[in-house]
Amino acid sequence: MKNSILAAATEEIRLHGSSFRMEDLARRLNISKRTLYENFRSKNEILERILSEKARDFYEQHQAILVDEQLTCAQKLKQYFSVKSDLYNTLNGDHFREMFNSIPYLVDQAMATFDKDWDQLQSYLETQKQIGVIKDIDIDVLIMMLRGIARSIVYDNKRNPEECLHVLPEAIDILLRGILNEGADNA
């Protein structure tokens, strides 16, 4: 029953954001509100569970890419930042920000998972630097740059968080190619 409730709630969030009504969710499932509350204490608990599961899925997809021995470092980075999370299907830009504004503790919970995600990327990049695949650069600065791009999209009211799927891969391409043209007068 819990999985059915979560699936229906995901659809309600997609349509109405975190302000969906429990009555509508119960109606969608053809159950009583009481049954909803027997399975989840509150709407916030449902939101928390959905966000947690979506963020964990995102992390696991990234983890699978980083351990794939068939991929080069460049391929891993390109795929890493091209992962399409189901989180973006559930929460468009306005719904994403609305949920975090109305339930601030969810920001902390989501950020903890996303921090773990960034930490695994940083660890991978440090290893690649140690074995000579990546130049001797400050990996902390690189991570700050990438996180800054993601944050600027997620927290910009004029943008949809899904834009990360287009902007971050382009940022990776720029990083991999560098910014200077070879042979150009770079004085």
Side-chain angles (χ1 to χ4, degrees):
M1 175 58 79
K2 284 189 177 200
N3 288 337
S4 297
I5 293 170
L6 292 172
T10 298
E11 183 60 18
E12 286 293 322
I13 293 168
R14 191 184 66 72
L15 295 171
H16 308 288
S18 62
S19 61
F20 73 89
R21 296 178 5 185
M22 293 296 272
E23 295 84 18
D24 295 333
L25 178 58
R27 192 173 310 114
R28 176 182 287 276
L29 289 161
N30 202 26
I31 60 174
S32 68
K33 274 180 52 178
R34 179 178 176 186
T35 302
L36 285 177
Y37 287 109
E38 287 172 352
N39 285 277
F40 293 97
R41 291 183 311 265
S42 66
K43 180 168 75 168
N44 286 1
E45 182 183 0
I46 292 171
L47 292 168
E48 182 178 334
R49 179 87 172 267
I50 290 170
L51 183 63
S52 174
E53 286 179 9
K54 303 292 184 195
R56 187 173 44 252
D57 176 60
F58 203 52
Y59 173 81
E60 289 170 358
Q61 288 182 62
H62 282 158
Q63 188 176 40
I65 291 167
L66 294 179
V67 299
D68 187 341
E69 295 180 10
Q70 305 290 322
L71 300 173
T72 66
C73 179
Q75 290 169 326
K76 286 179 182 185
L77 290 173
K78 288 178 182 182
Q79 284 188 21
Y80 189 94
F81 288 107
S82 298
V83 167
K84 177 128 171 101
S85 170
D86 193 31
L87 178 64
Y88 296 133
N89 292 335
T90 304
L91 297 168
N92 70 27
D94 292 335
H95 292 164
F96 191 81
R97 286 180 279 277
E98 171 194 324
M99 183 171 68
F100 284 150
N101 287 336
S102 64
I103 313 166
Y105 74 87
L106 285 180
V107 174
D108 295 335
Q109 184 183 50
M111 288 304 132
T113 301
F114 294 138
D115 284 346
K116 187 175 158 187
D117 199 39
W118 286 107
D119 289 347
Q120 86 174 338
L121 177 62
Q122 183 163 1
S123 176
Y124 170 76
L125 293 172
E126 290 287 356
T127 300
Q128 295 304 298
K129 177 180 158 182
Q130 288 172 358
I131 63 175
V133 173
I134 293 177
K135 292 179 183 178
D136 187 20
I137 61 168
D138 189 330
I139 300 298
D140 287 334
V141 172
L142 176 59
I143 293 293
M144 282 190 287
M145 289 168 51
L146 295 169
R147 285 181 86 150
I149 292 167
R151 273 193 210 113
S152 71
I153 293 168
V154 169
Y155 293 109
D156 183 342
N157 289 338
K158 296 175 183 87
R159 303 187 98 151
N160 189 323
E162 193 168 332
E163 287 183 50
C164 285
L165 291 173
H166 307 292
V167 176
L168 284 169
E170 179 64 24
I172 289 300
D173 280 344
I174 291 168
L175 289 169
L176 292 173
R177 288 189 319 261
I179 62 169
L180 299 177
N181 285 319
E182 289 186 33
D185 183 11
N186 296 317

